[in-house]
Amino acid sequence: MAKKMDLIMKVQGLIDKSLPGNLKKLANEVKNLRAERQKMEKAQKTLKAQKELNKEITANVAKYRKLRNELKALDEIKKRNVNLTEAEKKKYESLTKKAKALETTIKSQSKSFQKYGMELKKLKIPFDNLQSEIDQTIRKEKELIAQQKIVAKSQGFLKGAKDKVKTGIKVAAVATVGAAIGIGTSSAKEYLEFDKQMIKVKALTGATIQEYEALKKKAMEVGKTTIFTSEEAAAGMEKFALAGFKPKEIISAIPPIFDLATASGEDFIMISDMISDNMTAFKIGIDDVGHASDILANTMSRSNTNIQMLGEAFKYVSSSASNLNIDLSTTSAAIGLMGDQAIKSGQAGRDLKQAFSKIADAGVQKKLESLGVSVKDSKGEFIGLVDFVRQLEKVTGKMSGIDKQAFLKDLFGDQGSLAMNKLLTATKEVNGVMYEGADALAEFAKENENATGKAKEMAQTILDSDSGKWALVQSAISDVKLKIGKIGRASCRE
Protein backbone atom coordinates (compact mmCIF):
# COMPACT_ATOMS: atom_id res chain seq x y z
CA MET A 1 0.00 0.00 0.00
CA ALA A 2 2.89 2.36 0.82
CA LYS A 3 4.48 1.77 -2.60
CA LYS A 4 1.13 2.36 -4.23
CA MET A 5 0.71 5.63 -2.40
CA ASP A 6 4.22 6.73 -3.41
CA LEU A 7 3.30 6.08 -7.03
CA ILE A 8 0.04 7.98 -6.70
CA MET A 9 1.77 10.92 -5.03
CA LYS A 10 4.33 11.08 -7.85
CA VAL A 11 1.60 10.88 -10.44
CA GLN A 12 -0.46 13.51 -8.67
CA GLY A 13 2.62 15.72 -8.60
CA LEU A 14 2.99 15.42 -12.35
CA ILE A 15 -0.68 16.22 -12.84
CA ASP A 16 -0.54 19.17 -10.43
CA LYS A 17 2.34 20.55 -12.49
CA SER A 18 0.74 19.95 -15.88
CA LEU A 19 -2.82 21.10 -15.19
CA PRO A 20 -2.03 24.74 -14.32
CA GLY A 21 0.01 24.97 -17.51
CA ASN A 22 -2.86 23.52 -19.52
CA LEU A 23 -5.33 25.88 -17.87
CA LYS A 24 -3.04 28.86 -18.53
CA LYS A 25 -2.60 27.81 -22.16
CA LEU A 26 -6.37 27.48 -22.60
CA ALA A 27 -6.92 30.84 -20.89
CA ASN A 28 -4.50 32.50 -23.29
CA GLU A 29 -6.19 30.86 -26.28
CA VAL A 30 -9.59 32.07 -25.05
CA LYS A 31 -8.18 35.55 -24.44
CA ASN A 32 -6.66 35.72 -27.92
CA LEU A 33 -9.84 34.45 -29.57
CA ARG A 34 -11.95 36.92 -27.62
CA ALA A 35 -9.66 39.77 -28.68
CA GLU A 36 -9.86 38.63 -32.29
CA ARG A 37 -13.64 38.39 -32.08
CA GLN A 38 -13.92 41.87 -30.54
CA LYS A 39 -11.65 43.21 -33.26
CA MET A 40 -13.83 41.70 -35.97
CA GLU A 41 -17.04 42.91 -34.28
CA LYS A 42 -15.58 46.40 -34.10
CA ALA A 43 -14.73 46.17 -37.79
CA GLN A 44 -18.24 45.00 -38.52
CA LYS A 45 -19.76 47.96 -36.66
CA THR A 46 -17.39 50.40 -38.36
CA LEU A 47 -18.16 48.92 -41.76
CA LYS A 48 -21.90 49.16 -41.07
CA ALA A 49 -21.55 52.77 -39.96
CA GLN A 50 -19.49 53.56 -43.07
CA LYS A 51 -22.14 52.04 -45.34
CA GLU A 52 -24.93 53.99 -43.61
CA LEU A 53 -22.91 57.17 -43.88
CA ASN A 54 -22.27 56.52 -47.55
CA LYS A 55 -26.04 56.30 -48.11
CA GLU A 56 -26.54 59.62 -46.32
CA ILE A 57 -23.75 61.27 -48.35
CA THR A 58 -25.28 59.97 -51.58
CA ALA A 59 -28.70 61.30 -50.59
CA ASN A 60 -27.29 64.72 -49.59
CA VAL A 61 -25.28 64.99 -52.82
CA ALA A 62 -28.49 64.34 -54.76
CA LYS A 63 -30.27 67.07 -52.77
CA TYR A 64 -27.35 69.44 -53.31
CA ARG A 65 -27.42 68.87 -57.07
CA LYS A 66 -31.14 69.54 -57.13
CA LEU A 67 -30.64 72.80 -55.21
CA ARG A 68 -27.81 73.84 -57.53
CA ASN A 69 -30.00 73.19 -60.57
CA GLU A 70 -32.75 75.39 -59.14
CA LEU A 71 -30.24 78.14 -58.33
CA LYS A 72 -28.80 77.82 -61.83
CA ALA A 73 -32.26 78.40 -63.32
CA LEU A 74 -32.67 81.57 -61.28
CA ASP A 75 -29.17 82.70 -62.26
CA GLU A 76 -30.13 82.33 -65.92
CA ILE A 77 -33.05 84.73 -65.35
CA LYS A 78 -30.69 87.26 -63.73
CA LYS A 79 -28.22 86.97 -66.65
CA ARG A 80 -30.94 88.05 -69.05
CA ASN A 81 -31.19 91.33 -67.06
CA VAL A 82 -34.60 90.38 -65.85
CA ASN A 83 -35.38 91.35 -62.29
CA LEU A 84 -36.44 88.54 -59.99
CA THR A 85 -39.79 88.76 -58.35
CA GLU A 86 -39.93 89.06 -54.58
CA ALA A 87 -40.94 85.40 -54.32
CA GLU A 88 -38.02 84.38 -56.57
CA LYS A 89 -35.60 86.49 -54.49
CA LYS A 90 -36.74 84.81 -51.27
CA LYS A 91 -36.47 81.42 -52.95
CA TYR A 92 -32.95 82.22 -54.18
CA GLU A 93 -31.81 83.22 -50.69
CA SER A 94 -33.37 80.07 -49.16
CA LEU A 95 -31.80 77.82 -51.78
CA THR A 96 -28.39 79.44 -51.28
CA LYS A 97 -28.53 78.91 -47.49
CA LYS A 98 -29.60 75.29 -47.93
CA ALA A 99 -26.86 74.62 -50.48
CA LYS A 100 -24.18 76.06 -48.18
CA ALA A 101 -25.49 74.02 -45.24
CA LEU A 102 -25.45 70.86 -47.37
CA GLU A 103 -21.90 71.63 -48.54
CA THR A 104 -20.79 71.84 -44.91
CA THR A 105 -22.63 68.62 -44.03
CA ILE A 106 -21.22 66.71 -47.01
CA LYS A 107 -17.64 67.84 -46.21
CA SER A 108 -18.06 66.74 -42.59
CA GLN A 109 -19.57 63.44 -43.64
CA SER A 110 -16.78 62.86 -46.16
CA LYS A 111 -14.17 63.35 -43.44
CA SER A 112 -16.00 60.83 -41.23
CA PHE A 113 -16.19 58.40 -44.15
CA GLN A 114 -12.44 58.69 -44.69
CA LYS A 115 -11.86 58.21 -40.97
CA TYR A 116 -13.89 54.98 -41.02
CA GLY A 117 -11.84 53.85 -44.01
CA MET A 118 -8.57 54.47 -42.16
CA GLU A 119 -9.84 52.57 -39.12
CA LEU A 120 -10.82 49.59 -41.26
CA LYS A 121 -7.47 49.66 -43.05
CA LYS A 122 -5.64 49.52 -39.71
CA LEU A 123 -7.64 46.46 -38.66
CA LYS A 124 -6.38 44.53 -41.73
CA ILE A 125 -9.41 42.27 -41.88
CA PRO A 126 -10.86 40.70 -45.08
CA PHE A 127 -14.51 41.76 -45.24
CA ASP A 128 -15.88 39.32 -47.80
CA ASN A 129 -16.86 36.71 -45.18
CA LEU A 130 -16.70 38.82 -42.04
CA GLN A 131 -19.90 37.49 -40.44
CA SER A 132 -18.83 33.91 -41.13
CA GLU A 133 -15.44 34.61 -39.55
CA ILE A 134 -17.11 36.08 -36.47
CA ASP A 135 -19.45 33.09 -36.11
CA GLN A 136 -16.55 30.66 -36.47
CA THR A 137 -14.51 32.54 -33.86
CA ILE A 138 -17.45 32.52 -31.43
CA ARG A 139 -17.81 28.73 -31.87
CA LYS A 140 -14.09 28.19 -31.21
CA GLU A 141 -14.28 30.46 -28.17
CA LYS A 142 -17.20 28.47 -26.74
CA GLU A 143 -15.36 25.19 -27.31
CA LEU A 144 -12.25 26.45 -25.52
CA ILE A 145 -14.34 27.71 -22.60
CA ALA A 146 -15.95 24.25 -22.37
CA GLN A 147 -12.48 22.69 -22.38
CA GLN A 148 -11.41 25.03 -19.57
CA LYS A 149 -14.28 23.76 -17.46
CA ILE A 150 -13.47 20.13 -18.25
CA VAL A 151 -9.80 20.57 -17.36
CA ALA A 152 -10.78 22.15 -14.04
CA LYS A 153 -13.23 19.31 -13.34
CA SER A 154 -10.54 16.76 -14.23
CA GLN A 155 -8.44 18.06 -11.35
CA GLY A 156 -11.21 17.15 -8.94
CA PHE A 157 -11.77 13.82 -10.68
CA LEU A 158 -8.13 12.79 -10.16
CA LYS A 159 -8.13 13.98 -6.57
CA GLY A 160 -11.13 11.71 -6.00
CA ALA A 161 -9.21 8.83 -7.53
CA LYS A 162 -6.31 9.43 -5.15
CA ASP A 163 -8.66 9.56 -2.15
CA LYS A 164 -10.15 6.23 -3.18
CA VAL A 165 -6.70 4.66 -3.16
CA LYS A 166 -6.27 5.87 0.40
CA THR A 167 -9.42 3.98 1.38
CA GLY A 168 -8.14 0.78 -0.19
CA ILE A 169 -9.73 0.87 -3.67
CA LYS A 170 -7.10 -0.19 -6.22
CA VAL A 171 -7.15 2.54 -8.81
CA ALA A 172 -3.44 3.29 -9.04
CA ALA A 173 -3.53 2.26 -12.66
CA VAL A 174 -6.19 4.87 -13.43
CA ALA A 175 -4.14 7.61 -11.86
CA THR A 176 -1.01 6.45 -13.68
CA VAL A 177 -2.81 6.48 -17.02
CA GLY A 178 -4.20 9.90 -16.16
CA ALA A 179 -0.70 11.32 -15.81
CA ALA A 180 0.63 9.48 -18.87
CA ILE A 181 -1.96 10.94 -21.20
CA GLY A 182 -1.60 14.55 -20.08
CA ILE A 183 -5.13 14.58 -18.75
CA GLY A 184 -7.37 17.59 -19.04
CA THR A 185 -6.93 19.48 -22.25
CA SER A 186 -6.47 16.44 -24.48
CA SER A 187 -9.33 14.59 -22.74
CA ALA A 188 -11.63 17.53 -23.27
CA LYS A 189 -10.73 17.93 -26.93
CA GLU A 190 -10.94 14.21 -27.64
CA TYR A 191 -14.37 13.85 -26.07
CA LEU A 192 -15.74 16.93 -27.83
CA GLU A 193 -14.50 15.65 -31.21
CA PHE A 194 -15.95 12.19 -30.55
CA ASP A 195 -19.28 13.65 -29.45
CA LYS A 196 -19.43 15.88 -32.54
CA GLN A 197 -18.71 12.91 -34.82
CA MET A 198 -21.39 10.75 -33.17
CA ILE A 199 -23.96 13.54 -33.53
CA LYS A 200 -23.29 13.44 -37.29
CA VAL A 201 -23.97 9.69 -37.33
CA LYS A 202 -27.18 10.23 -35.40
CA ALA A 203 -28.34 12.92 -37.82
CA LEU A 204 -27.52 10.85 -40.90
CA THR A 205 -29.18 7.66 -39.66
CA GLY A 206 -32.14 9.27 -37.93
CA ALA A 207 -31.33 7.07 -34.92
CA THR A 208 -33.68 6.94 -31.96
CA ILE A 209 -32.27 7.66 -28.49
CA GLN A 210 -31.84 3.91 -27.88
CA GLU A 211 -30.19 3.35 -31.27
CA TYR A 212 -27.90 6.32 -30.76
CA GLU A 213 -26.78 5.02 -27.38
CA ALA A 214 -26.11 1.61 -28.94
CA LEU A 215 -23.98 3.21 -31.68
CA LYS A 216 -22.11 5.26 -29.10
CA LYS A 217 -21.55 2.21 -26.92
CA LYS A 218 -20.15 0.28 -29.89
CA ALA A 219 -17.79 3.10 -30.80
CA MET A 220 -16.57 3.33 -27.19
CA GLU A 221 -16.10 -0.45 -27.13
CA VAL A 222 -13.94 -0.18 -30.25
CA GLY A 223 -11.74 2.41 -28.58
CA LYS A 224 -11.31 0.17 -25.58
CA THR A 225 -10.69 -3.20 -27.26
CA THR A 226 -9.03 -2.50 -30.65
CA ILE A 227 -6.04 -0.52 -31.91
CA PHE A 228 -8.39 2.17 -33.20
CA THR A 229 -9.90 5.08 -31.29
CA SER A 230 -13.57 5.66 -30.64
CA GLU A 231 -13.41 8.77 -32.80
CA GLU A 232 -12.11 6.69 -35.71
CA ALA A 233 -14.97 4.24 -35.15
CA ALA A 234 -17.46 7.10 -35.24
CA ALA A 235 -15.95 8.43 -38.48
CA GLY A 236 -16.20 4.95 -39.99
CA MET A 237 -19.82 4.72 -38.90
CA GLU A 238 -20.45 7.99 -40.72
CA LYS A 239 -19.31 6.41 -44.02
CA PHE A 240 -21.90 3.65 -43.67
CA ALA A 241 -24.54 6.15 -42.59
CA LEU A 242 -23.86 8.17 -45.75
CA ALA A 243 -24.38 4.97 -47.75
CA GLY A 244 -27.86 4.67 -46.24
CA PHE A 245 -27.33 1.97 -43.62
CA LYS A 246 -29.37 1.86 -40.43
CA PRO A 247 -27.93 1.84 -36.88
CA LYS A 248 -28.21 -1.94 -36.35
CA GLU A 249 -26.61 -2.61 -39.74
CA ILE A 250 -23.74 -0.26 -38.97
CA ILE A 251 -23.09 -1.93 -35.62
CA SER A 252 -23.02 -5.30 -37.39
CA ALA A 253 -20.66 -4.13 -40.16
CA ILE A 254 -18.02 -2.46 -37.99
CA PRO A 255 -16.15 -5.46 -36.42
CA PRO A 256 -14.97 -7.17 -39.65
CA ILE A 257 -13.79 -3.85 -41.01
CA PHE A 258 -11.67 -3.35 -37.92
CA ASP A 259 -10.15 -6.78 -38.55
CA LEU A 260 -9.30 -5.78 -42.13
CA ALA A 261 -7.89 -2.40 -41.08
CA THR A 262 -5.79 -4.04 -38.37
CA ALA A 263 -4.57 -6.75 -40.76
CA SER A 264 -3.61 -4.23 -43.46
CA GLY A 265 -2.29 -1.51 -41.19
CA GLU A 266 -4.26 0.98 -43.26
CA ASP A 267 -6.74 3.70 -42.40
CA PHE A 268 -9.99 2.38 -40.94
CA ILE A 269 -12.03 5.32 -42.21
CA MET A 270 -10.71 4.85 -45.75
CA ILE A 271 -11.56 1.13 -45.65
CA SER A 272 -15.06 1.86 -44.32
CA ASP A 273 -15.57 4.30 -47.17
CA MET A 274 -14.29 1.83 -49.76
CA ILE A 275 -16.46 -1.08 -48.64
CA SER A 276 -19.61 1.00 -48.19
CA ASP A 277 -19.09 2.52 -51.65
CA ASN A 278 -18.79 -0.87 -53.38
CA MET A 279 -21.43 -2.89 -51.55
CA THR A 280 -24.12 -2.24 -54.15
CA ALA A 281 -21.89 -2.95 -57.16
CA PHE A 282 -20.78 -6.32 -55.81
CA LYS A 283 -24.14 -7.18 -54.23
CA ILE A 284 -22.65 -7.26 -50.73
CA GLY A 285 -25.34 -7.40 -48.06
CA ILE A 286 -24.73 -6.22 -44.51
CA ASP A 287 -24.24 -9.85 -43.45
CA ASP A 288 -21.59 -10.26 -46.16
CA VAL A 289 -19.26 -7.49 -44.96
CA GLY A 290 -17.17 -10.01 -43.04
CA HIS A 291 -16.80 -12.20 -46.13
CA ALA A 292 -15.87 -9.16 -48.25
CA SER A 293 -13.21 -8.22 -45.68
CA ASP A 294 -11.80 -11.75 -45.87
CA ILE A 295 -11.64 -11.59 -49.70
CA LEU A 296 -9.78 -8.28 -49.63
CA ALA A 297 -7.43 -9.48 -46.87
CA ASN A 298 -6.56 -12.60 -48.86
CA THR A 299 -6.01 -10.63 -52.07
CA MET A 300 -3.72 -8.22 -50.25
CA SER A 301 -1.72 -11.01 -48.59
CA ARG A 302 -1.38 -13.10 -51.75
CA SER A 303 -0.51 -10.43 -54.36
CA ASN A 304 1.54 -7.29 -54.84
CA THR A 305 -1.18 -4.85 -53.84
CA ASN A 306 -2.74 -3.37 -50.70
CA ILE A 307 -6.18 -2.29 -49.55
CA GLN A 308 -5.79 1.31 -50.65
CA MET A 309 -4.67 0.20 -54.12
CA LEU A 310 -7.64 -2.17 -54.35
CA GLY A 311 -9.92 0.70 -53.37
CA GLU A 312 -8.45 2.94 -56.08
CA ALA A 313 -8.95 0.20 -58.66
CA PHE A 314 -12.57 -0.38 -57.55
CA LYS A 315 -13.35 3.31 -58.13
CA TYR A 316 -13.02 2.66 -61.86
CA VAL A 317 -13.93 -0.98 -62.37
CA SER A 318 -16.67 -1.86 -59.87
CA SER A 319 -19.53 -0.52 -62.02
CA SER A 320 -18.31 -2.30 -65.18
CA ALA A 321 -17.72 -5.51 -63.22
CA SER A 322 -21.24 -5.27 -61.82
CA ASN A 323 -22.71 -4.93 -65.32
CA LEU A 324 -21.03 -8.21 -66.29
CA ASN A 325 -21.93 -9.91 -62.97
CA ILE A 326 -18.26 -10.40 -62.10
CA ASP A 327 -18.12 -10.97 -58.34
CA LEU A 328 -15.78 -9.44 -55.76
CA SER A 329 -13.60 -12.56 -55.47
CA THR A 330 -12.85 -12.63 -59.21
CA THR A 331 -12.47 -8.86 -59.63
CA SER A 332 -10.08 -8.70 -56.66
CA ALA A 333 -8.12 -11.66 -58.05
CA ALA A 334 -7.81 -9.94 -61.44
CA ILE A 335 -6.54 -6.73 -59.79
CA GLY A 336 -4.11 -8.76 -57.68
CA LEU A 337 -2.73 -10.64 -60.69
CA MET A 338 -2.22 -7.33 -62.50
CA GLY A 339 -0.48 -5.98 -59.39
CA ASP A 340 1.94 -8.90 -59.55
CA GLN A 341 2.89 -7.60 -63.00
CA ALA A 342 3.36 -3.94 -61.93
CA ILE A 343 -0.09 -2.70 -63.05
CA LYS A 344 -1.62 -1.40 -59.83
CA SER A 345 -4.12 0.87 -58.17
CA GLY A 346 -6.09 3.25 -60.41
CA GLN A 347 -4.28 2.11 -63.54
CA ALA A 348 -5.41 -1.48 -62.99
CA GLY A 349 -8.97 -0.24 -62.47
CA ARG A 350 -8.97 1.92 -65.59
CA ASP A 351 -7.50 -0.85 -67.75
CA LEU A 352 -10.03 -3.41 -66.55
CA LYS A 353 -12.87 -0.91 -66.95
CA GLN A 354 -12.08 -0.45 -70.63
CA ALA A 355 -11.69 -4.19 -71.17
CA PHE A 356 -15.06 -4.90 -69.54
CA SER A 357 -16.72 -2.08 -71.50
CA LYS A 358 -15.40 -3.55 -74.76
CA ILE A 359 -16.67 -7.01 -73.80
CA ALA A 360 -20.16 -5.49 -73.47
CA ASP A 361 -19.88 -3.81 -76.89
CA ALA A 362 -22.03 -5.47 -79.57
CA GLY A 363 -19.47 -4.84 -82.31
CA VAL A 364 -16.67 -6.45 -80.30
CA GLN A 365 -18.93 -9.40 -79.49
CA LYS A 366 -19.49 -10.02 -83.21
CA LYS A 367 -15.74 -10.02 -83.87
CA LEU A 368 -15.18 -12.44 -81.01
CA GLU A 369 -17.97 -14.76 -82.16
CA SER A 370 -16.40 -14.91 -85.65
CA LEU A 371 -13.24 -16.20 -83.92
CA GLY A 372 -15.18 -18.80 -81.95
CA VAL A 373 -15.13 -16.88 -78.65
CA SER A 374 -18.48 -16.88 -76.85
CA VAL A 375 -19.31 -13.87 -74.69
CA LYS A 376 -22.82 -14.85 -73.50
CA ASP A 377 -24.32 -18.05 -72.13
CA SER A 378 -27.68 -19.58 -73.07
CA LYS A 379 -29.47 -17.06 -70.82
CA GLY A 380 -27.81 -14.10 -72.52
CA GLU A 381 -25.55 -13.37 -69.53
CA PHE A 382 -21.77 -12.94 -69.60
CA ILE A 383 -20.11 -16.36 -69.41
CA GLY A 384 -17.72 -15.20 -66.68
CA LEU A 385 -14.24 -13.73 -66.72
CA VAL A 386 -12.41 -17.03 -66.18
CA ASP A 387 -14.15 -18.79 -69.10
CA PHE A 388 -13.72 -15.72 -71.29
CA VAL A 389 -9.95 -15.56 -70.63
CA ARG A 390 -9.68 -19.31 -71.22
CA GLN A 391 -11.22 -18.89 -74.69
CA LEU A 392 -8.86 -16.01 -75.46
CA GLU A 393 -5.95 -18.25 -74.50
CA LYS A 394 -6.92 -20.72 -77.22
CA VAL A 395 -7.23 -18.00 -79.86
CA THR A 396 -3.96 -16.21 -78.97
CA GLY A 397 -1.95 -19.27 -77.96
CA LYS A 398 -0.02 -19.57 -81.21
CA MET A 399 0.27 -15.85 -81.96
CA SER A 400 3.61 -14.06 -81.86
CA GLY A 401 3.97 -11.32 -79.26
CA ILE A 402 3.44 -8.49 -81.73
CA ASP A 403 0.43 -10.17 -83.38
CA LYS A 404 -1.13 -10.88 -80.00
CA GLN A 405 -0.69 -7.27 -78.93
CA ALA A 406 -2.26 -5.98 -82.16
CA PHE A 407 -5.14 -8.47 -81.82
CA LEU A 408 -5.93 -7.47 -78.22
CA LYS A 409 -5.59 -3.75 -78.99
CA ASP A 410 -8.06 -4.04 -81.86
CA LEU A 411 -10.62 -5.68 -79.58
CA PHE A 412 -10.10 -3.97 -76.23
CA GLY A 413 -8.36 -0.65 -76.96
CA ASP A 414 -5.04 0.59 -75.57
CA GLN A 415 -5.89 0.25 -71.88
CA GLY A 416 -8.20 -2.73 -72.12
CA SER A 417 -5.64 -4.74 -74.15
CA LEU A 418 -3.09 -4.20 -71.37
CA ALA A 419 -5.50 -5.63 -68.80
CA MET A 420 -6.41 -8.67 -70.89
CA ASN A 421 -2.77 -9.36 -71.73
CA LYS A 422 -1.82 -9.33 -68.05
CA LEU A 423 -4.60 -11.83 -67.27
CA LEU A 424 -3.37 -14.07 -70.09
CA THR A 425 0.23 -13.96 -68.81
CA ALA A 426 -0.59 -14.14 -65.09
CA THR A 427 0.89 -16.80 -62.80
CA LYS A 428 -0.13 -17.79 -59.27
CA GLU A 429 1.07 -20.46 -56.89
CA VAL A 430 -1.72 -22.12 -54.91
CA ASN A 431 -1.04 -24.97 -52.48
CA GLY A 432 2.36 -25.63 -54.03
CA VAL A 433 1.08 -25.76 -57.61
CA MET A 434 1.90 -23.03 -60.15
CA TYR A 435 -1.01 -21.96 -62.36
CA GLU A 436 -1.02 -19.73 -65.45
CA GLY A 437 -3.50 -17.53 -67.31
CA ALA A 438 -7.14 -18.46 -66.85
CA ASP A 439 -6.21 -21.19 -64.36
CA ALA A 440 -4.29 -18.67 -62.23
CA LEU A 441 -7.33 -16.38 -62.21
CA ALA A 442 -9.69 -19.28 -61.40
CA GLU A 443 -7.58 -20.62 -58.52
CA PHE A 444 -6.93 -17.18 -57.03
CA ALA A 445 -10.64 -16.28 -57.22
CA LYS A 446 -11.52 -19.64 -55.61
CA GLU A 447 -9.00 -19.04 -52.83
CA ASN A 448 -10.50 -15.60 -52.24
CA GLU A 449 -14.01 -17.03 -52.05
CA ASN A 450 -12.90 -19.63 -49.49
CA ALA A 451 -10.84 -17.23 -47.35
CA THR A 452 -13.31 -17.26 -44.43
CA GLY A 453 -11.75 -15.83 -41.28
CA LYS A 454 -8.66 -14.50 -43.10
CA ALA A 455 -9.00 -10.89 -41.93
CA LYS A 456 -9.44 -11.88 -38.28
CA GLU A 457 -6.55 -14.34 -38.48
CA MET A 458 -4.21 -11.70 -39.92
CA ALA A 459 -5.45 -9.11 -37.42
CA GLN A 460 -4.75 -11.43 -34.50
CA THR A 461 -1.20 -12.00 -35.75
CA ILE A 462 -0.68 -8.25 -35.73
CA LEU A 463 -2.19 -7.81 -32.27
CA ASP A 464 -0.06 -10.62 -30.79
CA SER A 465 3.11 -8.74 -31.74
CA ASP A 466 4.78 -6.24 -29.39
CA SER A 467 3.80 -3.33 -31.63
CA GLY A 468 0.22 -4.61 -31.71
CA LYS A 469 0.06 -4.83 -27.94
CA TRP A 470 1.42 -1.31 -27.61
CA ALA A 471 -1.18 -0.05 -30.08
CA LEU A 472 -3.88 -1.65 -27.91
CA VAL A 473 -2.48 0.13 -24.86
CA GLN A 474 -2.55 3.47 -26.68
CA SER A 475 -6.13 2.87 -27.78
CA ALA A 476 -7.12 1.95 -24.22
CA ILE A 477 -5.54 5.20 -23.02
CA SER A 478 -7.66 7.06 -25.57
CA ASP A 479 -10.72 5.32 -24.12
CA VAL A 480 -9.82 6.53 -20.62
CA LYS A 481 -9.38 10.06 -21.96
CA LEU A 482 -12.84 9.95 -23.50
CA LYS A 483 -14.38 8.82 -20.23
CA ILE A 484 -12.65 11.59 -18.30
CA GLY A 485 -13.74 14.10 -20.92
CA LYS A 486 -17.29 12.80 -20.67
CA ILE A 487 -17.26 13.16 -16.87
CA GLY A 488 -15.96 16.70 -17.16
CA ARG A 489 -18.51 17.57 -19.84
CA ALA A 490 -21.36 16.18 -17.76
CA SER A 491 -20.15 18.19 -14.76
CA CYS A 492 -20.10 21.36 -16.84
CA ARG A 493 -23.78 20.94 -17.60
CA GLU A 494 -24.72 20.70 -13.93
Side-chain angles (χ1 to χ4, degrees):
M1 184 69 175
K3 287 182 180 180
K4 214 177 267 186
M5 279 307 301
D6 286 342
L7 176 62
I8 296 302
M9 292 303 292
K10 287 178 182 178
V11 168
Q12 187 66 38
L14 288 171
I15 294 168
D16 289 342
K17 287 179 182 178
S18 65
L19 274 175
N22 286 333
L23 283 167
K24 185 178 180 180
K25 183 180 177 182
L26 279 171
N28 285 334
E29 288 182 20
V30 171
K31 182 181 177 182
N32 292 337
L33 269 178
R34 185 172 290 128
E36 188 66 23
R37 172 175 58 81
Q38 289 170 347
K39 178 182 173 183
M40 286 191 288
E41 286 176 343
K42 179 183 177 182
Q44 190 180 46
K45 288 178 182 177
T46 303
L47 185 62
K48 184 179 179 182
Q50 189 189 46
K51 286 181 179 179
E52 290 297 324
L53 184 57
N54 187 51
K55 288 181 183 178
E56 291 177 16
I57 291 173
T58 302
N60 283 335
V61 168
K63 289 179 184 177
Y64 180 78
R65 285 175 179 168
K66 186 179 179 182
L67 287 172
R68 291 301 305 167
N69 286 335
E70 290 184 48
L71 283 168
K72 188 176 179 181
L74 292 172
D75 283 333
E76 288 295 326
I77 294 172
K78 290 167 69 177
K79 284 179 182 179
R80 293 196 298 268
N81 295 319
V82 177
N83 292 328
L84 297 176
T85 64
E86 287 300 317
E88 287 174 333
K89 287 180 182 179
K90 287 181 180 179
K91 182 179 179 182
Y92 190 88
E93 289 176 2
S94 174
L95 289 173
T96 302
K97 287 180 182 179
K98 287 180 180 179
K100 286 182 179 179
L102 273 176
E103 277 183 20
T104 303
T105 300
I106 291 170
K107 284 180 182 178
S108 174
Q109 287 176 329
S110 296
K111 286 181 181 179
S112 297
F113 186 85
Q114 289 174 354
K115 185 180 177 182
Y116 284 141
M118 290 175 66
E119 287 179 13
L120 292 170
K121 190 174 181 180
K122 286 179 183 178
L123 290 172
K124 296 180 180 178
I125 293 174
F127 298 102
D128 292 343
N129 299 303
L130 184 57
Q131 187 57 54
S132 175
E133 289 288 333
I134 292 173
D135 293 341
Q136 190 176 351
T137 304
I138 290 172
R139 282 196 299 272
K140 286 181 181 177
E141 189 179 342
K142 286 180 178 178
E143 284 182 8
L144 285 174
I145 290 170
Q147 288 172 24
Q148 276 184 310
K149 292 180 180 178
I150 293 173
V151 172
K153 291 290 181 181
S154 297
Q155 211 166 10
F157 172 80
L158 288 170
K159 184 179 181 301
K162 187 177 74 173
D163 292 341
K164 287 181 181 179
V165 173
K166 288 180 180 178
T167 60
I169 297 176
K170 299 177 181 179
V171 292
V174 174
T176 304
V177 171
I181 61 179
I183 197 164
T185 305
S186 59
S187 297
K189 288 180 178 178
E190 198 153 322
Y191 178 74
L192 289 170
E193 286 300 316
F194 169 70
D195 189 58
K196 184 165 66 176
Q197 189 66 59
M198 286 305 304
I199 291 297
K200 284 185 187 177
V201 177
K202 181 182 180 183
L204 289 168
T205 59
T208 63
I209 294 175
Q210 292 80 5
E211 288 172 332
Y212 174 63
E213 288 303 319
L215 285 165
K216 206 168 183 179
K217 182 180 178 182
K218 188 65 179 180
M220 294 285 281
E221 179 188 315
V222 165
K224 184 178 180 181
T225 60
T226 76
I227 65 173
F228 300 97
T229 66
S230 299
E231 188 181 341
E232 287 175 308
M237 287 178 171
E238 182 188 353
K239 299 299 181 183
F240 280 92
L242 286 166
F245 290 93
K246 300 300 179 186
K248 286 184 179 179
E249 294 174 329
I250 293 172
I251 291 170
S252 174
I254 287 297
I257 295 184
F258 276 112
D259 288 336
L260 180 58
T262 303
S264 66
E266 296 180 66
D267 183 55
F268 165 75
I269 301 168
M270 177 273 292
I271 293 175
S272 298
D273 195 25
M274 181 192 77
I275 290 184
S276 61
D277 281 349
N278 291 288
M279 289 179 74
T280 301
F282 290 112
K283 300 177 178 62
I284 301 169
I286 201 68
D287 295 331
D288 303 318
V289 172
H291 183 48
S293 297
D294 291 332
I295 290 170
L296 298 176
N298 191 68
T299 302
M300 171 195 71
S301 69
R302 295 277 288 121
S303 64
N304 191 8
T305 189
N306 60 33
I307 300 302
Q308 184 177 12
M309 290 177 181
L310 285 167
E312 284 299 310
F314 288 144
K315 285 181 183 179
Y316 298 98
V317 75
S318 61
S319 179
S320 298
S322 176
N323 292 335
L324 295 178
N325 290 322
I326 303 173
D327 60 21
L328 180 64
S329 293
T330 306
T331 305
S332 299
I335 295 169
L337 291 174
M338 292 177 71
D340 288 342
Q341 300 171 82
I343 306 298
K344 304 176 184 179
S345 195
Q347 184 184 353
R350 288 189 294 271
D351 292 351
L352 281 171
K353 176 185 177 181
Q354 187 178 48
F356 293 169
S357 296
K358 291 292 185 179
I359 290 171
D361 183 83
V364 173
Q365 289 178 15
K366 285 182 180 179
K367 287 183 181 180
L368 288 167
E369 286 171 7
S370 68
L371 297 167
V373 178
S374 300
V375 177
K376 299 177 181 178
D377 59 19
S378 58
K379 295 180 181 178
E381 299 292 340
F382 180 52
I383 61 170
L385 189 58
V386 172
D387 288 341
F388 182 75
V389 174
R390 185 164 281 125
Q391 290 183 83
L392 280 182
E393 280 180 329
K394 293 177 182 179
V395 174
T396 61
K398 294 181 180 180
M399 290 182 183
S400 65
I402 192 168
D403 289 341
K404 179 182 175 183
Q405 184 177 349
F407 171 76
L408 293 174
K409 185 176 179 179
D410 178 59
L411 289 170
F412 305 106
D414 289 334
Q415 291 181 305
S417 63
L418 186 58
M420 296 312 300
N421 191 49
K422 293 303 179 185
L423 294 182
L424 289 168
T425 58
T427 60
K428 181 60 61 179
E429 179 273 323
V430 179
N431 295 325
V433 180
M434 186 64 72
Y435 295 93
E436 298 179 359
D439 289 336
L441 178 61
E443 290 300 321
F444 196 4
K446 182 179 178 182
E447 188 180 87
N448 278 345
E449 190 62 28
N450 295 327
T452 304
K454 185 70 175 180
K456 184 174 285 295
E457 174 191 322
M458 291 174 65
Q460 196 57 53
T461 300
I462 299 294
L463 294 177
D464 286 341
S465 67
D466 289 341
S467 60
K469 289 174 182 176
W470 176 242
L472 284 171
V473 169
Q474 289 179 311
S475 186
I477 287 173
S478 178
D479 175 63
V480 173
K481 288 166 74 177
L482 275 185
K483 287 176 179 175
I484 292 172
K486 185 178 181 181
I487 290 168
R489 187 64 171 162
S491 300
C492 289
R493 292 196 186 103
E494 292 174 0

